[in-house]
Amino acid sequence: MTQQGIEVFLAVAKLGSVSAAAQSLYITQPAVSRHLHALEEDLNCMLFVRGRGKRQVELTPQGRDFVPMAEKWQLLWREAREVTGPGRTRTLRVASV
């Protein structure tokens, strides 16, 4: 799970589209798909329902449950970056049980 993966997940969840998220993040659609796939593998669950030929994606129940956690992750990441000023190391260690 990476910070960029979380950012991509939240963009797709908010915009409802892989292509719209790619455009808003200035990355390619395949890159968005790779980030989502890696995140789903890390979490061992599907976060979105994707249909062939459909432009929109829908959150699965697990995806809806993950949104608040992803938002907390993003907030913690921002706070950690604020704490680490110039001259400080930029290491964030996250552990969970």
Side-chain angles (χ1 to χ4, degrees), residues 40-84:
E40 288 174 333
E41 279 192 4
D42 288 344
L43 296 173
N44 198 29
C45 68
M46 295 295 293
L47 298 171
F48 293 99
V49 176
R50 303 168 187 87
R52 283 251 179 226
K54 292 185 179 179
R55 294 194 184 273
Q56 300 294 89
V57 295
E58 293 180 31
L59 286 166
T60 63
Q62 296 89 349
R64 283 191 296 276
D65 290 343
F66 186 65
V67 169
M69 287 181 257
E71 289 170 342
K72 286 179 192 175
W73 172 291
Q74 221 174 25
L75 178 63
L76 284 170
W77 185 262
R78 275 191 231 115
E79 288 176 0
R81 293 200 55 155
E82 288 172 9
V83 169
T84 59

Side-chain angles (χ1 to χ4, degrees), residues 10 12 14 20 23 26 28 31 43 47 52-53 55 57 60-61 66-68 87 93-94 96:
L10 289 172
V12 174
K14 177 182 174 188
Q23 189 173 14
Y26 302 103
T28 64
L43 296 173
L47 298 171
R52 283 251 179 226
R55 294 194 184 273
V57 295
T60 63
F66 186 65
V67 169
R93 297 188 203 293
V94 178
S96 67

